[in-house]
Amino acid sequence: MALAALVAACAVASSASSNTVAECFSENNERRIAGCSELIENPNLDAGTRSLAYAMRALALSLQGALTQALPDYDRAIELDPASSMALNNRAWVLYKLDRLSEGMSDVERSLDLSPASPHAHDTRAHINQALGERTAALRDYERAMRYGGEHLVRLYQCGLEAQGIYRGPIDGLYTRDVRRALEICVASTKCDPLPADEECRAATS
């Protein structure tokens, strides 16, 4: 949806090539940064489209581990589009990773006000609640994330919990008692993450 919106907006801005748009949404973070940077410099973009380009560049930076560099781009994206639930949630995730939990919670709450059925925002809030030691709230949000995210997100949690050594069931996308028990164990620790590392579980969750 985000790519479609950006393509449509850039169709109006004739100087933004389709190749530049594609680069901004590339799977390669270096290309994404370059493409989004070029879009940001385009004087013909409207505020919403420029906001999206900032948010995508911030995402690429955060995926590279440059969290403090990503924050100003998320700030700018949200200034340009205060109703961007995606940018708010992604900034919340960066703030969570930087251990700025209260700021992250404020962002993710705003994101959920805008998109209450977002599995990603519920997952972000779950992580923040877990880091705050709020086990019940964390478990509830993980369950909401699975409800809205469906089998794909359940499989991700199954893979992550398996990697933590607390789940030994099938990776089948079904939320069972065994998955819940593993999550209950996980939320009791601030060091347990039910999400797998990026390189893990690709085959099982694709």
Side-chain angles (χ1 to χ4, degrees):
M1 291 178 64
L3 178 57
L6 187 54
V7 170
C10 289
V12 179
S14 58
S15 57
S17 70
S18 58
N19 184 61
T20 302
V21 174
E23 292 287 285
C24 189
F25 279 82
S26 170
E27 292 295 320
N28 181 288
N29 287 319
E30 293 294 343
R31 290 168 55 193
R32 183 183 293 177
I33 291 168
C36 292
S37 297
E38 186 175 339
L39 281 177
I40 288 166
E41 296 303 316
N42 187 327
N44 298 317
L45 294 188
D46 63 273
T49 307
R50 196 178 307 280
S51 169
L52 186 54
Y54 271 112
M56 293 307 298
R57 187 172 72 177
L59 177 60
L61 288 166
S62 67
L63 289 173
Q64 288 184 330
L67 300 179
T68 55
Q69 290 177 259
L71 272 182
D73 272 1
Y74 279 132
D75 293 344
R76 185 64 179 137
I78 293 165
E79 287 172 9
L80 289 164
D81 184 6
S84 174
S85 59
M86 179 268 287
L88 283 163
N89 175 63
N90 287 357
R91 187 172 71 176
W93 183 259
V94 169
L95 291 166
Y96 155 72
K97 287 292 190 178
L98 293 172
D99 202 31
R100 292 164 60 176
L101 302 180
S102 61
E103 295 170 83
M105 182 64 82
S106 176
D107 271 359
V108 76
E109 293 283 8
R110 287 169 60 194
S111 178
L112 282 166
D113 284 342
L114 293 162
S115 300
S118 167
H120 305 294
H122 282 291
D123 173 78
T124 298
R125 192 170 67 178
H127 278 81
I128 294 173
N129 274 320
Q130 183 176 344
L132 290 169
E134 299 290 343
R135 301 180 187 181
T136 301
L139 181 60
R140 181 172 61 243
D141 274 329
Y142 283 129
E143 289 183 322
R144 286 173 176 167
M146 287 185 285
R147 184 187 314 149
Y148 293 122
E151 292 183 6
H152 176 73
L153 194 50
V154 178
R155 286 196 297 270
L156 277 178
Y157 287 158
Q158 287 173 327
C159 283
L161 294 165
E162 182 182 62
Q164 294 285 339
I166 53 179
Y167 175 71
R168 294 177 177 81
I171 310 299
D172 56 5
L174 298 178
Y175 184 48
T176 63
R177 290 180 181 177
D178 286 343
V179 178
R180 181 183 170 88
R181 277 195 291 268
L183 272 175
E184 288 172 340
I185 295 169
C186 188
V187 298
S189 168
T190 58
K191 296 182 179 180
C192 179
D193 190 346
L195 285 177
D198 288 342
E199 66 274 12
E200 294 177 6
C201 302
R202 291 183 182 272
T205 60
S206 62

